[in-house]
Amino acid sequence: MPVAVHWFRKALRLHDNPALAKAVAACSAPNSSLLPVYTLDPHFVKNSHIGTNRWLFFLESLQDVDRSLSESGSKLLVLRGEPMTLFSTLFDTLIANGETVSLYFEADTSPYARNRDAAMLELCASKNIAVHTFNSHTLFNPSDVIKVNGGITPIVYQSFLKVITEKMPAIQPATPTLTQVPPLSDEMKALLTYTETFGFDAFQVPSMEDIGKAVPGENLVSTHKGGEREALKRLEEYMKQKDLVCKFQKPETNPAAFQPASTTILSPYLKMGSLSARTFYHELMKVYRASKIGYTKPPVSLLGQLYWREFYYTAGYGTPNFDKMLGNPICKQIPWRTDEQSNVDLEKWATGQTGFPWIDAIMIQLKQEGWIHHLARHSVACFLTRGDLYISWERGAKVFEKLLIDADWSLNTGNWLWLSASAFFHQYFRVYGPVSFPKKYAPESVKYVRKYIPALKNFPEKYLFEPWKCPIADQKKAGCIIGKDYPKPMCDHDAVSKVNIGKMKVAYDEGKVASPPKAPKGKKRPLDED
Ligand SMILES: Cc1cc2nc3c(=O)[nH]c(=O)nc-3n(C[C@H](O)[C@H](O)[C@H](O)COP(=O)(O)OP(=O)(O)OC[C@H]3O[C@@H](n4cnc5c(N)ncnc54)[C@H](O)[C@@H]3O)c2cc1C
């Protein structure tokens, strides 16, 4: 009997999920079964770079998928262990029972996934199992973009736009939402009783405790809830604000705005795949088409934001060692600090103890909620790297990877490369002022700092972003002594940023880039401006 195994990884959704839709369609023959599987891979479970908020958000996303499947009488089989070993046993069990097995999953372009999936293809080939993969995590398949660009990875956003608008086929409509999936038969459940030997119920989405993760303390639980339902609700609510959508200009959005934030906060859902980028795109197009006031354009528009995502996915796919400085052909080779003190400074930055309230409030929001605004990310990334601390973007990216609920290999790496002026962006002399920048966003930035740093709750507004300048009498009145209740600044921004610009200039003048990307023999680099 045919069994279509659907392997959930990202794409934790029933809307616009072509791999799942095809697996369901393959079950139209009588006596065929759909087996939805998730594998909790020790590579991730044991990985200390995933923080508790992201685990919570992920488990909520998984529970939501299981809930949707259960509504049709199906169930998600959550296996815990190394995927190849688990699938090998699963396939053997099914084959021994006389089933004809096929496997469906969404393609994933991140380095670990590419290796894992290559191994899966080999495993399936060895067992004569047909495999069907689909690209639905991004609007464009990164390898197709590179192919139509003559084998060159576009590393300039405008060039990338040209490629996708002039050379790529139109974005396909979203796959219809699955309102019904085949139920999981009792026979199939009986066949899978071997999973009971694992010592846990594999038809149960595990809790944080089940997978050995500490539940975060009350004030450290993110207010962002995971799952497809929440994702679609948020998308719908945002798209109702037609003026906001049509006038969206990213640089004009306020990084200090909270409740509501000034951008969509859909990134964690796109990352998990509980929201399809294509669904987002088509909903956006509906609003644009119906608009009587016109709409903004990339790179600053909301569509432009989706294209930034595509841009970094493509760059990440086509660039060797994308997440490293060494061996990365598009990355400036900068001698970042590696001294002992840099460990201490990194820790101060990561824990919101720099003594610069704007920087600290952002890092505290990040730790508590797992999401911060794009310009807030700019501020702290610039501060850590070329702005103030001269610490490698790779170390900053690791901290983000742990704390962000939307942590995404391509986007996190690409944006850190940008902010540290290591790739994509080269105006290293344009530095964010940790005091001057937040002043532009008052009064929201004032409320923001007071919310995330309670010690500064009553601090006079005049000194809020540079509290060390506040007269001691006023500090006493505010109940916050700088150096005791809140740290002194860890550096003199004006002085240190000048020194760092000088160091960046030297690195740039020495032309320290690993080596520029080259076109395959005989081909030009037609659209690549950099
Ligand atoms: C140092 C640094 C690290 C970052 N790390 C991540 C990360 O790990 N994961 C992540 O999703 N985003 C990352 N970003 C990009 C960006 O900050 C977030 O995508 C955005 O702030 C998410 O909020 P939103 O959903 O409200 O965005 P919106 O402005 O509403 O944009 C809609 C969607 O477009 C995409 N998008 C927006 N801005 C960017 C961008 N600059 N690059 C790529 N895609 C973008 C996201 O998927 C986002 O959800 C990083 C930015 C910086 C500066």
Side-chain angles (χ1 to χ4, degrees):
M1 252 89 73
V3 177
V5 177
H6 176 74
W7 186 14
F8 278 101
R9 301 105 64 84
K10 288 173 185 159
L12 296 177
R13 60 177 187 259
L14 272 72
H15 74 278
D16 192 28
N17 190 335
L20 180 62
K22 283 283 184 217
V24 168
C27 295
S28 57
N31 296 324
S32 51
S33 306
L34 173 79
L35 182 58
V37 178
Y38 190 91
T39 48
L40 262 175
D41 186 339
H43 171 80
F44 296 110
V45 181
K46 296 202 171 128
N47 179 345
S48 60
H49 292 305
I50 303 178
T52 45
N53 268 329
R54 184 138 61 93
W55 273 113
L56 262 183
F57 191 89
F58 158 71
L59 290 177
E60 285 163 3
S61 310
L62 212 54
Q63 272 153 7
D64 201 41
V65 167
D66 184 49
R67 186 178 147 197
S68 301
L69 294 170
S70 302
E71 283 170 1
S72 299
S74 182
K75 206 73 188 118
L76 186 63
L77 183 70
V78 186
L79 299 173
R80 298 181 221 171
E82 202 277 312
M84 290 321 121
T85 315
L86 293 170
F87 270 110
S88 187
T89 311
L90 178 67
F91 292 150
D92 289 347
T93 308
L94 294 169
I95 292 166
N97 199 51
E99 319 290 353
T100 313
V101 185
S102 51
L103 179 69
Y104 296 77
F105 59 86
E106 183 191 62
D108 186 333
T109 56
S110 60
Y112 174 77
R114 276 155 79 176
N115 289 334
R116 178 198 58 198
D117 294 350
M120 178 54 97
L121 292 183
E122 269 181 36
L123 176 72
C124 289
S126 72
K127 294 182 189 291
N128 274 329
I129 290 171
V131 182
H132 309 270
T133 64
F134 300 82
N135 292 298
S136 51
H137 190 61
T138 46
L139 299 172
F140 304 101
N141 183 2
S143 68
D144 291 347
V145 175
I146 295 169
K147 199 164 152 199
V148 299
N149 195 36
I152 295 293
T153 305
I155 54 167
V156 175
Y157 182 83
Q158 291 302 336
S159 314
F160 174 79
L161 272 189
K162 270 192 186 172
V163 179
I164 58 169
T165 51
E166 293 174 11
K167 297 193 168 186
M168 287 297 288
I171 295 165
Q172 292 293 303
T175 312
T177 301
L178 292 159
T179 50
Q180 200 67 35
V181 298
L184 197 69
S185 64
D186 289 342
E187 289 82 350
M188 187 55 66
K189 277 189 197 145
L191 195 58
L192 298 170
T193 47
Y194 80 89
T195 60
E196 285 164 14
T197 61
F198 294 151
F200 57 81
D201 181 0
F203 284 110
Q204 190 70 40
V205 174
S207 63
M208 292 284 279
E209 290 90 340
D210 290 339
I211 56 168
K213 300 285 164 195
V215 181
E218 212 175 292
N219 62 346
L220 288 178
V221 175
S222 173
T223 47
H224 307 296
K225 296 287 159 236
E228 179 180 18
R229 282 173 181 76
E230 181 69 21
L232 292 173
K233 193 173 93 194
R234 285 186 181 214
L235 177 69
E236 191 186 341
E237 277 165 14
Y238 200 86
M239 290 300 158
K240 275 185 198 157
Q241 307 169 75
K242 297 188 169 42
D243 259 29
L244 192 69
V245 170
C246 291
K247 291 180 183 162
F248 187 100
Q249 291 199 60
K250 189 63 163 280
E252 305 302 317
T253 57
N254 188 333
F258 56 93
Q259 290 171 343
S262 60
T263 56
T264 64
I265 316 195
L266 287 169
S267 50
Y269 304 94
L270 287 165
K271 183 251 145 65
M272 296 286 167
S274 39
L275 175 64
S276 140
R278 207 154 52 172
T279 300
F280 190 159
Y281 169 84
H282 286 298
E283 289 306 309
L284 181 58
M285 288 305 115
K286 274 190 214 160
V287 177
Y288 281 175
R289 278 196 296 269
S291 170
K292 295 197 171 71
I293 56 166
Y295 46 87
T296 50
K297 299 274 156 25
V300 295
S301 63
L302 199 46
L303 177 61
Q305 305 315 301
L306 285 182
Y307 285 165
W308 278 114
R309 181 173 182 269
E310 300 295 313
F311 172 70
Y312 287 124
Y313 262 93
T314 307
Y317 180 81
T319 308
N321 300 308
F322 188 58
D323 60 354
K324 296 174 188 66
M325 179 175 81
L326 293 178
N328 178 343
I330 63 167
C331 182
K332 298 274 180 206
Q333 304 296 297
I334 297 166
W336 303 108
R337 281 173 60 204
T338 51
D339 55 295
E340 271 297 306
Q341 182 60 31
S342 73
N343 298 331
V344 178
D345 290 353
L346 177 72
E347 185 63 13
K348 283 188 182 169
W349 171 83
T351 53
Q353 294 288 316
T354 66
F356 290 92
W358 174 242
I359 301 299
D360 293 341
I362 294 169
M363 294 308 291
I364 291 166
Q365 184 193 15
L366 173 60
K367 181 151 192 214
Q368 288 178 359
E369 298 171 14
W371 182 91
I372 48 176
H373 184 277
H374 184 58
L375 294 177
R377 299 181 201 212
H378 272 222
S379 301
V380 295
C382 183
F383 186 90
L384 181 77
T385 57
R386 64 195 168 83
D388 295 74
L389 302 184
Y390 220 68
I391 290 176
S392 164
W393 60 271
E394 289 179 60
R395 295 166 81 182
K398 284 208 173 79
V399 174
F400 266 33
E401 187 192 342
K402 181 164 186 170
L403 298 179
L404 280 171
I405 49 173
D406 65 21
D408 179 304
W409 183 80
S410 310
L411 273 48
N412 195 31
T413 305
N415 278 284
W416 273 96
L417 282 164
W418 178 293
L419 256 298
S420 61
S422 295
F424 308 119
F425 169 82
H426 303 298
Q427 295 171 352
Y428 57 81
F429 41 85
R430 286 178 57 196
V431 169
Y432 283 92
V435 173
S436 56
F437 185 68
K439 285 184 180 169
K440 293 184 201 159
Y441 297 100
E444 286 84 357
S445 52
V446 171
K447 286 188 213 146
Y448 177 82
V449 165
R450 294 209 166 120
K451 174 176 157 77
Y452 291 104
I453 310 180
L456 296 173
K457 202 168 62 194
N458 300 316
F459 220 77
E461 186 174 331
K462 186 175 170 197
Y463 300 107
L464 192 65
F465 299 114
E466 41 193 344
W468 61 91
K469 288 191 177 165
C470 182
I472 189 72
D474 292 340
Q475 293 186 27
K476 281 186 183 153
K477 222 193 284 169
C480 176
I481 306 297
I482 301 308
K484 179 172 157 267
D485 304 308
Y486 179 73
K488 288 183 180 166
M490 65 187 291
C491 61
D492 175 346
H493 169 74
D494 290 342
V496 93
S497 59
K498 277 197 193 90
V499 172
N500 290 346
I501 288 171
K503 290 199 241 173
M504 290 293 288
K505 185 175 181 328
V506 172
Y508 264 61
D509 287 349
E510 286 178 2
K512 285 188 172 168
V513 178
S515 65
K518 285 197 180 76
K521 262 201 165 148
K523 298 235 169 90
K524 282 188 194 149
R525 298 178 55 203
L527 296 171
D528 211 352
E529 293 156 3
D530 207 33

